[in-house]
Amino acid sequence: MSKVKRADHKRRGNVKKGRAVEQAPPPAETAVAKPPIDERTGAAIRRARVERGLTLSDVASAVSISVPMLSRFETGQSTASLMLLERICAVLGTDLPTLFSEVEQASGEAQLIKASDQMEVVRSGTKHGHTYRLLSYHKGPRKLFEPFLINMDKKSESYPRFQHPGTEFIYMLSGRMEYRFGDRTFLVEPGDAFTFSGGVLHGPEKLLDDRIQFITIIIYAE
C-alpha cells in the first residue's frame, strides 16, 4: 500500500521516540542470468519480425522453410544454422552481428532478500501502529514496483487513505477487512486477490478480526 505523499525515511526494527531510524537497505543477494541462447536468439528474431509487421508465414515463405519450423526457432525449441539465420536476417532487414549483439545483451536480474534482512519502512499508516515490511529494493532512477508485507490490528480505529500512480494488488494472508475503494467497500478475506487503480482514493475501512496480514504490490505505470 502506498501513501498520499512519499515517505523518505526507512528503518529496521521499531520506531524510537517517534522518529524513524534511517539506515541504508541491508545487502541483498543479487544475480544476473541469461536464458539459453536458443531462446534469446528466437526472441530477437520474433521482436524483429513483429516490429516490421511481418507474419510467421511472410518470413517462412521468404526463407523457404515451414511456418512450424520458424515458430520453433522463435520459441527456442529448435536451433537454426548460421546459414539459415543469415537468410532470416536478410528478410528482416538486419544482419548477424546486429542479431548476436541483441542476443548477447539479453539478461535478467534476480534478487533474494532473506527474512532477517527485510526492512521496515515508514508510511502514512505507521503512526496508526501498522507495520510495512519492504520485500524488494530497486536501484535506478525510478521504481517499477514496490512490494510490502503489511500487518495491522484493531488497536487503531483510525485508518489512512492512499492515492498514488499505477496499479495496486493486494493478497490477503490472514484476517478479514473491509477495504474502501472510492465510494465502494469490499470484503477481503484470506486467499482473496484484490486489484485496483491507485489513482482512486483507497484504504482499509474496517478490520473484522483482531489482527490482519496481507501483501500489497504497487506497479507503477511506465
Side-chain angles (χ1 to χ4, degrees):
M1 187 184 305
S2 186
K3 57 286 173 191
V4 176
K5 66 177 183 178
R6 298 182 73 86
D8 56 2
H9 295 293
K10 297 181 177 181
R11 68 181 176 105
R12 189 191 298 181
N14 298 320
V15 174
K16 297 181 179 179
K17 297 182 180 180
R19 296 190 301 175
V21 179
E22 292 188 6
Q23 290 188 355
E29 181 181 345
T30 60
V32 176
K34 294 182 178 181
I37 190 168
D38 289 344
E39 291 183 14
R40 285 181 278 144
T41 303
I45 292 172
R46 184 179 186 281
R47 278 192 296 270
R49 176 178 63 76
V50 172
E51 286 173 359
R52 289 156 179 77
L54 298 173
T55 66
L56 281 166
S57 180
D58 292 333
V59 177
S61 177
V63 296
S64 301
I65 60 175
S66 69
V67 170
M69 179 178 290
L70 179 58
S71 178
R72 287 196 295 272
F73 291 154
E74 288 193 357
T75 56
Q77 299 177 44
S78 296
T79 302
S81 67
L82 285 176
M83 183 178 297
L84 184 52
L85 283 176
E86 189 173 44
R87 285 159 50 196
I88 292 173
C89 285
V91 171
L92 297 176
T94 185
D95 54 27
L96 284 176
T98 301
L99 178 71
F100 288 144
S101 175
E102 183 177 349
V103 169
E104 181 59 28
Q105 292 173 10
S107 63
E109 183 176 296
Q111 181 187 79
L112 172 65
I113 302 175
K114 302 297 288 184
S116 59
D117 290 328
Q118 292 166 8
M119 181 176 59
E120 287 186 14
V121 295
V122 175
R123 291 294 184 266
S124 299
T126 301
K127 60 186 177 183
H128 302 287
H130 312 161
T131 63
Y132 300 77
R133 186 175 291 252
L134 189 60
L135 303 179
S136 178
Y137 315 125
H138 292 275
K139 300 177 181 179
R142 62 189 301 271
K143 294 179 180 178
L144 298 178
F145 73 102
E146 287 185 296
F148 298 97
L149 175 65
I150 300 178
N151 289 279
M152 301 172 60
D153 58 43
K154 273 190 172 180
K155 292 179 181 178
S156 172
E157 293 297 329
S158 176
Y159 306 111
R161 291 289 180 261
F162 305 90
Q163 197 168 11
H164 55 79
T167 300
E168 184 161 348
F169 169 80
I170 288 176
Y171 183 77
M172 202 70 182
L173 296 173
S174 62
R176 300 165 299 150
M177 68 175 170
E178 291 180 1
Y179 200 90
R180 176 163 294 281
F181 175 72
D183 60 356
R184 294 192 57 186
T185 58
F186 295 83
L187 173 62
V188 188
E189 301 177 291
D192 289 353
F194 185 33
T195 306
F196 52 88
S197 299
V200 177
L201 202 65
H202 58 274
E205 179 79 4
K206 182 180 180 182
L207 269 61
L208 303 179
D209 293 294
D210 290 338
R211 301 182 66 84
I212 68 170
Q213 184 181 66
F214 59 95
I215 288 175
T216 184
I217 303 173
I218 304 164
I219 303 99
Y220 296 106
E222 291 290 343

